[in-house]
mmCIF file with all atom_site columns, all heavy atoms in Angstrom:
data_model
loop_
_atom_site.group_PDB
_atom_site.id
_atom_site.type_symbol
_atom_site.label_atom_id
_atom_site.label_alt_id
_atom_site.label_comp_id
_atom_site.label_asym_id
_atom_site.label_entity_id
_atom_site.label_seq_id
_atom_site.pdbx_PDB_ins_code
_atom_site.Cartn_x
_atom_site.Cartn_y
_atom_site.Cartn_z
_atom_site.occupancy
_atom_site.B_iso_or_equiv
_atom_site.pdbx_formal_charge
_atom_site.auth_seq_id
_atom_site.auth_comp_id
_atom_site.auth_asym_id
_atom_site.auth_atom_id
_atom_site.pdbx_PDB_model_num
ATOM 1   N N   . ALA A 1 176 ? 95.827 309.592 266.932 1.00 0.00 ? 190 ALA A N   1
ATOM 2   C CA  . ALA A 1 176 ? 94.621 310.191 267.595 1.00 0.00 ? 190 ALA A CA  1
ATOM 3   C C   . ALA A 1 176 ? 93.541 310.627 266.518 1.00 0.00 ? 190 ALA A C   1
ATOM 4   O O   . ALA A 1 176 ? 92.324 310.355 266.698 1.00 0.00 ? 190 ALA A O   1
ATOM 5   C CB  . ALA A 1 176 ? 95.105 311.393 268.425 1.00 0.00 ? 190 ALA A CB  1
ATOM 6   N N   . GLN A 1 177 ? 94.004 311.198 265.427 1.00 0.00 ? 191 GLN A N   1
ATOM 7   C CA  . GLN A 1 177 ? 93.108 311.949 264.599 1.00 0.00 ? 191 GLN A CA  1
ATOM 8   C C   . GLN A 1 177 ? 92.838 311.152 263.236 1.00 0.00 ? 191 GLN A C   1
ATOM 9   O O   . GLN A 1 177 ? 91.727 311.319 262.610 1.00 0.00 ? 191 GLN A O   1
ATOM 10  C CB  . GLN A 1 177 ? 93.566 313.318 264.225 1.00 0.00 ? 191 GLN A CB  1
ATOM 11  C CG  . GLN A 1 177 ? 93.714 314.134 265.513 1.00 0.00 ? 191 GLN A CG  1
ATOM 12  C CD  . GLN A 1 177 ? 93.875 315.581 265.262 1.00 0.00 ? 191 GLN A CD  1
ATOM 13  O OE1 . GLN A 1 177 ? 93.004 316.154 264.651 1.00 0.00 ? 191 GLN A OE1 1
ATOM 14  N NE2 . GLN A 1 177 ? 94.902 316.276 265.789 1.00 0.00 ? 191 GLN A NE2 1
ATOM 15  N N   . THR A 1 178 ? 93.777 310.481 262.725 1.00 0.00 ? 192 THR A N   1
ATOM 16  C CA  . THR A 1 178 ? 93.632 309.819 261.377 1.00 0.00 ? 192 THR A CA  1
ATOM 17  C C   . THR A 1 178 ? 93.360 308.332 261.391 1.00 0.00 ? 192 THR A C   1
ATOM 18  O O   . THR A 1 178 ? 92.569 307.921 260.649 1.00 0.00 ? 192 THR A O   1
ATOM 19  C CB  . THR A 1 178 ? 94.922 310.145 260.548 1.00 0.00 ? 192 THR A CB  1
ATOM 20  O OG1 . THR A 1 178 ? 95.235 311.594 260.557 1.00 0.00 ? 192 THR A OG1 1
ATOM 21  C CG2 . THR A 1 178 ? 94.721 309.716 259.118 1.00 0.00 ? 192 THR A CG2 1
ATOM 22  N N   . ALA A 1 179 ? 94.074 307.665 262.327 1.00 0.00 ? 193 ALA A N   1
ATOM 23  C CA  . ALA A 1 179 ? 93.801 306.190 262.327 1.00 0.00 ? 193 ALA A CA  1
ATOM 24  C C   . ALA A 1 179 ? 92.271 305.846 262.486 1.00 0.00 ? 193 ALA A C   1
ATOM 25  O O   . ALA A 1 179 ? 91.925 304.775 261.929 1.00 0.00 ? 193 ALA A O   1
ATOM 26  C CB  . ALA A 1 179 ? 94.588 305.570 263.434 1.00 0.00 ? 193 ALA A CB  1
ATOM 27  N N   . PRO A 1 180 ? 91.459 306.621 263.118 1.00 0.00 ? 194 PRO A N   1
ATOM 28  C CA  . PRO A 1 180 ? 90.069 306.278 263.261 1.00 0.00 ? 194 PRO A CA  1
ATOM 29  C C   . PRO A 1 180 ? 89.405 306.194 261.854 1.00 0.00 ? 194 PRO A C   1
ATOM 30  O O   . PRO A 1 180 ? 88.281 305.554 261.735 1.00 0.00 ? 194 PRO A O   1
ATOM 31  C CB  . PRO A 1 180 ? 89.476 307.420 264.014 1.00 0.00 ? 194 PRO A CB  1
ATOM 32  C CG  . PRO A 1 180 ? 90.544 307.881 264.916 1.00 0.00 ? 194 PRO A CG  1
ATOM 33  C CD  . PRO A 1 180 ? 91.798 307.800 264.042 1.00 0.00 ? 194 PRO A CD  1
ATOM 34  N N   . LEU A 1 181 ? 90.018 306.779 260.796 1.00 0.00 ? 195 LEU A N   1
ATOM 35  C CA  . LEU A 1 181 ? 89.387 306.700 259.482 1.00 0.00 ? 195 LEU A CA  1
ATOM 36  C C   . LEU A 1 181 ? 89.431 305.162 258.912 1.00 0.00 ? 195 LEU A C   1
ATOM 37  O O   . LEU A 1 181 ? 88.697 304.952 258.015 1.00 0.00 ? 195 LEU A O   1
ATOM 38  C CB  . LEU A 1 181 ? 90.179 307.567 258.531 1.00 0.00 ? 195 LEU A CB  1
ATOM 39  C CG  . LEU A 1 181 ? 89.967 309.118 258.740 1.00 0.00 ? 195 LEU A CG  1
ATOM 40  C CD1 . LEU A 1 181 ? 90.659 309.922 257.658 1.00 0.00 ? 195 LEU A CD1 1
ATOM 41  C CD2 . LEU A 1 181 ? 88.468 309.463 258.673 1.00 0.00 ? 195 LEU A CD2 1
ATOM 42  N N   . LYS A 1 182 ? 90.252 304.406 259.558 1.00 0.00 ? 196 LYS A N   1
ATOM 43  C CA  . LYS A 1 182 ? 90.301 302.964 259.076 1.00 0.00 ? 196 LYS A CA  1
ATOM 44  C C   . LYS A 1 182 ? 88.962 302.338 259.270 1.00 0.00 ? 196 LYS A C   1
ATOM 45  O O   . LYS A 1 182 ? 88.397 301.653 258.550 1.00 0.00 ? 196 LYS A O   1
ATOM 46  C CB  . LYS A 1 182 ? 91.349 302.216 259.790 1.00 0.00 ? 196 LYS A CB  1
ATOM 47  C CG  . LYS A 1 182 ? 92.776 302.574 259.234 1.00 0.00 ? 196 LYS A CG  1
ATOM 48  C CD  . LYS A 1 182 ? 93.880 301.620 259.791 1.00 0.00 ? 196 LYS A CD  1
ATOM 49  C CE  . LYS A 1 182 ? 94.889 302.335 260.442 1.00 0.00 ? 196 LYS A CE  1
ATOM 50  N NZ  . LYS A 1 182 ? 95.851 301.429 261.104 1.00 0.00 ? 196 LYS A NZ  1
ATOM 51  N N   . GLN A 1 183 ? 88.378 302.631 260.577 1.00 0.00 ? 197 GLN A N   1
ATOM 52  C CA  . GLN A 1 183 ? 87.132 302.145 260.894 1.00 0.00 ? 197 GLN A CA  1
ATOM 53  C C   . GLN A 1 183 ? 86.050 302.689 260.019 1.00 0.00 ? 197 GLN A C   1
ATOM 54  O O   . GLN A 1 183 ? 85.121 302.039 259.592 1.00 0.00 ? 197 GLN A O   1
ATOM 55  C CB  . GLN A 1 183 ? 86.752 302.546 262.407 1.00 0.00 ? 197 GLN A CB  1
ATOM 56  C CG  . GLN A 1 183 ? 87.480 301.834 263.456 1.00 0.00 ? 197 GLN A CG  1
ATOM 57  C CD  . GLN A 1 183 ? 86.885 300.408 263.595 1.00 0.00 ? 197 GLN A CD  1
ATOM 58  O OE1 . GLN A 1 183 ? 85.627 300.284 263.491 1.00 0.00 ? 197 GLN A OE1 1
ATOM 59  N NE2 . GLN A 1 183 ? 87.635 299.450 263.911 1.00 0.00 ? 197 GLN A NE2 1
ATOM 60  N N   . TYR A 1 184 ? 86.220 304.048 259.819 1.00 0.00 ? 198 TYR A N   1
ATOM 61  C CA  . TYR A 1 184 ? 85.210 304.790 258.961 1.00 0.00 ? 198 TYR A CA  1
ATOM 62  C C   . TYR A 1 184 ? 85.117 304.117 257.636 1.00 0.00 ? 198 TYR A C   1
ATOM 63  O O   . TYR A 1 184 ? 83.948 303.836 257.082 1.00 0.00 ? 198 TYR A O   1
ATOM 64  C CB  . TYR A 1 184 ? 85.754 306.231 258.900 1.00 0.00 ? 198 TYR A CB  1
ATOM 65  C CG  . TYR A 1 184 ? 84.922 307.217 258.194 1.00 0.00 ? 198 TYR A CG  1
ATOM 66  C CD1 . TYR A 1 184 ? 84.192 308.224 258.753 1.00 0.00 ? 198 TYR A CD1 1
ATOM 67  C CD2 . TYR A 1 184 ? 84.883 307.246 256.769 1.00 0.00 ? 198 TYR A CD2 1
ATOM 68  C CE1 . TYR A 1 184 ? 83.412 309.137 258.100 1.00 0.00 ? 198 TYR A CE1 1
ATOM 69  C CE2 . TYR A 1 184 ? 84.185 308.085 255.948 1.00 0.00 ? 198 TYR A CE2 1
ATOM 70  C CZ  . TYR A 1 184 ? 83.443 309.108 256.733 1.00 0.00 ? 198 TYR A CZ  1
ATOM 71  O OH  . TYR A 1 184 ? 82.730 310.015 256.042 1.00 0.00 ? 198 TYR A OH  1
ATOM 72  N N   . TYR A 1 185 ? 86.306 303.876 256.968 1.00 0.00 ? 199 TYR A N   1
ATOM 73  C CA  . TYR A 1 185 ? 86.185 303.275 255.675 1.00 0.00 ? 199 TYR A CA  1
ATOM 74  C C   . TYR A 1 185 ? 85.896 301.754 255.608 1.00 0.00 ? 199 TYR A C   1
ATOM 75  O O   . TYR A 1 185 ? 85.383 301.211 254.673 1.00 0.00 ? 199 TYR A O   1
ATOM 76  C CB  . TYR A 1 185 ? 87.366 303.690 254.850 1.00 0.00 ? 199 TYR A CB  1
ATOM 77  C CG  . TYR A 1 185 ? 87.424 305.150 254.461 1.00 0.00 ? 199 TYR A CG  1
ATOM 78  C CD1 . TYR A 1 185 ? 88.257 306.078 254.904 1.00 0.00 ? 199 TYR A CD1 1
ATOM 79  C CD2 . TYR A 1 185 ? 86.349 305.605 253.567 1.00 0.00 ? 199 TYR A CD2 1
ATOM 80  C CE1 . TYR A 1 185 ? 88.233 307.336 254.551 1.00 0.00 ? 199 TYR A CE1 1
ATOM 81  C CE2 . TYR A 1 185 ? 86.295 306.948 253.271 1.00 0.00 ? 199 TYR A CE2 1
ATOM 82  C CZ  . TYR A 1 185 ? 87.179 307.791 253.739 1.00 0.00 ? 199 TYR A CZ  1
ATOM 83  O OH  . TYR A 1 185 ? 87.187 309.172 253.288 1.00 0.00 ? 199 TYR A OH  1
ATOM 84  N N   . ALA A 1 186 ? 86.373 301.092 256.639 1.00 0.00 ? 200 ALA A N   1
ATOM 85  C CA  . ALA A 1 186 ? 85.931 299.671 256.770 1.00 0.00 ? 200 ALA A CA  1
ATOM 86  C C   . ALA A 1 186 ? 84.391 299.563 256.763 1.00 0.00 ? 200 ALA A C   1
ATOM 87  O O   . ALA A 1 186 ? 83.792 298.691 256.144 1.00 0.00 ? 200 ALA A O   1
ATOM 88  C CB  . ALA A 1 186 ? 86.543 299.073 258.069 1.00 0.00 ? 200 ALA A CB  1
ATOM 89  N N   . GLY A 1 187 ? 83.757 300.487 257.523 1.00 0.00 ? 201 GLY A N   1
ATOM 90  C CA  . GLY A 1 187 ? 82.344 300.542 257.584 1.00 0.00 ? 201 GLY A CA  1
ATOM 91  C C   . GLY A 1 187 ? 81.606 300.686 256.220 1.00 0.00 ? 201 GLY A C   1
ATOM 92  O O   . GLY A 1 187 ? 80.611 300.325 256.008 1.00 0.00 ? 201 GLY A O   1
ATOM 93  N N   . GLU A 1 188 ? 82.400 301.402 255.312 1.00 0.00 ? 202 GLU A N   1
ATOM 94  C CA  . GLU A 1 188 ? 81.862 301.513 253.955 1.00 0.00 ? 202 GLU A CA  1
ATOM 95  C C   . GLU A 1 188 ? 82.336 300.469 252.944 1.00 0.00 ? 202 GLU A C   1
ATOM 96  O O   . GLU A 1 188 ? 82.232 300.618 251.717 1.00 0.00 ? 202 GLU A O   1
ATOM 97  C CB  . GLU A 1 188 ? 82.367 302.897 253.452 1.00 0.00 ? 202 GLU A CB  1
ATOM 98  C CG  . GLU A 1 188 ? 82.315 304.114 254.310 1.00 0.00 ? 202 GLU A CG  1
ATOM 99  C CD  . GLU A 1 188 ? 81.145 305.028 253.934 1.00 0.00 ? 202 GLU A CD  1
ATOM 100 O OE1 . GLU A 1 188 ? 81.246 305.490 252.825 1.00 0.00 ? 202 GLU A OE1 1
ATOM 101 O OE2 . GLU A 1 188 ? 80.388 305.255 254.795 1.00 0.00 ? 202 GLU A OE2 1
ATOM 102 N N   . SER A 1 189 ? 83.101 299.484 253.521 1.00 0.00 ? 203 SER A N   1
ATOM 103 C CA  . SER A 1 189 ? 83.733 298.387 252.698 1.00 0.00 ? 203 SER A CA  1
ATOM 104 C C   . SER A 1 189 ? 84.697 298.850 251.689 1.00 0.00 ? 203 SER A C   1
ATOM 105 O O   . SER A 1 189 ? 84.780 298.272 250.544 1.00 0.00 ? 203 SER A O   1
ATOM 106 C CB  . SER A 1 189 ? 82.574 297.525 251.977 1.00 0.00 ? 203 SER A CB  1
ATOM 107 O OG  . SER A 1 189 ? 81.698 297.035 253.023 1.00 0.00 ? 203 SER A OG  1
ATOM 108 N N   . LEU A 1 190 ? 85.374 299.970 252.014 1.00 0.00 ? 204 LEU A N   1
ATOM 109 C CA  . LEU A 1 190 ? 86.353 300.499 251.087 1.00 0.00 ? 204 LEU A CA  1
ATOM 110 C C   . LEU A 1 190 ? 87.774 300.296 251.524 1.00 0.00 ? 204 LEU A C   1
ATOM 111 O O   . LEU A 1 190 ? 88.752 300.441 250.781 1.00 0.00 ? 204 LEU A O   1
ATOM 112 C CB  . LEU A 1 190 ? 86.098 301.955 250.843 1.00 0.00 ? 204 LEU A CB  1
ATOM 113 C CG  . LEU A 1 190 ? 84.752 302.412 250.207 1.00 0.00 ? 204 LEU A CG  1
ATOM 114 C CD1 . LEU A 1 190 ? 84.686 303.945 250.208 1.00 0.00 ? 204 LEU A CD1 1
ATOM 115 C CD2 . LEU A 1 190 ? 84.827 301.865 248.725 1.00 0.00 ? 204 LEU A CD2 1
#
Side-chain angles (χ1 to χ4, degrees):
Q191 303 197 52
T192 308
L195 290 181
K196 289 192 234 174
Q197 284 284 324
Y198 181 105
Y199 286 116
E202 314 252 308
S203 303
L204 292 175

